[in-house]
Amino acid sequence: MTQTTQPIQQAAAIVARAHRLTALVGAGLSASSGIPTYRGPGGLWTRQRPRQGAPPLLSYQEFVRDPAAWWQARLAAETDPSHPIYQMKQAVDQAAPNPGHLALAQLEQRGILHCIITQNVDNLHAAAGSRAVLEIHGNRNRLRCLQCHRRTPRNTQTPQNPPQCQQCNGLLKLDTVMFGEPIPPDVLQACRQAAEQSDCMLLVGTSGTVNPAARLPLLAKENGATLIEINPEATPLTPWCDLSLTGPADAILPQLLNSI
Ligand code: APR
């Protein structure tokens, strides 16, 4: 009787042979750190689907229309326990890296994972020890200047309203990319290059529904990469994948690490 190789073992063999392994990560990886997803079962947009476009305070147009008013409303929302922004901030403030984040950091430390492209803004990859992380949707702990793109830690924010860049006096916003905001060109270029150069890409906990991130696996595939999806559910990216590991990333990634 031929021994059927388990999908985890198949994936481990592919990953072990890869020369430039990348991972495209979505909210599903942080789900077991207590941070709600957006579109999965019980996700933020699943529960409170944005009626007309983006929910309040998450729209780029709203921000550029009146930055001072936006910052004032944002700071008020962050101290109002009844506001969804307060509740999300609490969840992320209290979140810690889970075994999935730690396994990705281990894969990097062992020289197997070349870089992570994350859609998450929760800083949990850095907290887990990952260093090669491209944050395509920004990072909640940083501010970004709209003029010179300089990024600074949010806790150094001046009391000015709206806060201004100390390098060029440009307008500062949260580094987190908002609905309708273009992805900063520097990080988008780096993500595209990482995808083009990878020969294997793990798709971890993403619904594969938000561009340009969702196009990166296809760009990798066009350049010959093998795609391995890690998700309890099928997604629009599943048909493009060579292998699907069905289940939670915080269980599957450590199993994958231990099988290499
Ligand atoms: N392990 C792996 N995957 C999981 C887990 C888990 N424990 N729990 C849920 N998932 C999967 C869901 O099945 C779903 O496919 O994670 C995915 C989460 O999808 P989304 O909530 O759409 O998150 P994401 O793909 O990261 O969204 C992309 O949309 O709103 C914007 O900027 C936001 O970065 C976000 C982007």
Side-chain angles (χ1 to χ4, degrees), residues 25-29 31-32 37-41 45 119-120 137 177 179 204-210 230-235 247-250:
V25 173
L29 177 62
S32 60
T37 62
Y38 298 93
R39 298 172 190 80
W45 302 160
Q119 301 169 86
N120 301 339
H137 291 161
V177 172
F179 280 82
V204 183
T206 182
S207 59
T209 51
V210 175
I230 299 173
N231 197 317
E233 324 243 337
T235 72
D250 61 314

Side-chain angles (χ1 to χ4, degrees), residues 96-231:
N98 64 55
H101 294 102
L102 298 170
L104 288 177
Q106 276 290 312
L107 283 170
E108 177 189 300
Q109 279 143 29
R110 285 174 50 181
I112 298 169
L113 178 61
H114 181 69
C115 94
I116 293 170
I117 301 168
T118 190
Q119 301 169 86
N120 301 339
V121 299
D122 55 33
N123 203 52
L124 289 182
H125 295 295
S130 291
R131 298 156 63 122
V133 183
L134 296 172
E135 294 170 307
I136 192 168
H137 291 161
N139 184 306
R140 52 127 26 190
N141 293 345
R142 282 200 301 260
L143 298 172
R144 174 165 35 91
C145 173
L146 286 184
Q147 195 145 336
C148 69
H149 295 303
R150 182 172 179 247
R151 292 161 176 89
T152 47
R154 182 167 181 200
N155 58 18
T156 59
Q157 183 173 340
T158 55
Q160 276 167 309
N161 186 16
Q164 286 176 326
C165 175
Q166 285 161 11
Q167 180 162 287
C168 74
N169 284 328
L171 182 59
L172 289 184
K173 70 175 289 288
L174 291 178
D175 184 36
T176 305
V177 172
M178 302 167 90
F179 280 82
E181 178 180 2
I183 304 288
D186 54 348
V187 75
L188 182 56
Q189 175 54 28
C191 291
R192 284 181 171 148
Q193 193 172 9
E196 280 165 359
Q197 293 175 354
S198 66
D199 57 358
C200 181
M201 182 181 273
L202 303 176
L203 312 184
V204 183
T206 182
S207 59
T209 51
V210 175
N211 287 317
R215 269 200 295 273
L216 294 172
L218 309 185
L219 186 57
K221 185 99 184 163
E222 280 162 22
N223 286 278
T226 303
L227 301 184
I228 299 173
E229 187 169 47
I230 299 173
N231 197 317

